[in-house]
Amino acid sequence: MPKFSQASFSKLATCHQDLQVLFYEVIKHFDCTILEGYRNKEDQEKAFSAGNTQLHWPHGKHNRQPSMAVDVAPYPIDWKNTKRMYWFSGFVMGIAQKLKDEGKMTHGVRYGGDWDGDKEIDDQNFNDLVHFELIE
Ligand SMILES: [Zn+2]
């Protein structure tokens, strides 16, 4: 069974309990790596400059403590393989729905490849294919 590296474990620990519950379930079945949980001001502005977010500090869900967002990629990371990211996200969203239905998570989850949650992926202005956030 896959498990998180110490680096992934530490990043996930900065996230809301629901995201921890979710990805501790996901990792049992689908190997993945936690890229980022909480982002401080410097990290958020770096992400903005790199075009990885459209939000300045402190408006991102990564800027809360605990973080209401987490960036996760299927392992091993291959940034060109977006199909695999979508494949992974479908798996994550299915597990998230199940955990919410079972009362093990209190929030729903929004994916950065389907911001409006309509299950269409071609109606997006901005894709963030590794981003999962809690809906408030
Ligand atoms: Zn993100």
Side-chain angles (χ1 to χ4, degrees), residues 45-70:
E45 295 309 320
K46 227 182 266 177
F48 185 88
S49 299
N52 295 334
T53 177
Q54 295 188 312
L55 301 172
H56 281 290
W57 167 272
H59 304 296
K61 290 205 173 187
H62 285 280
N63 305 146
R64 313 266 197 86
Q65 284 186 293
S67 180
M68 295 296 278
V70 65

Side-chain angles (χ1 to χ4, degrees), residues 31-43:
D31 201 2
C32 56
T33 188
I34 308 290
L35 301 167
E36 209 159 31
Y38 172 73
R39 270 188 210 141
N40 63 23
K41 186 173 182 182
E42 188 188 346
D43 294 336

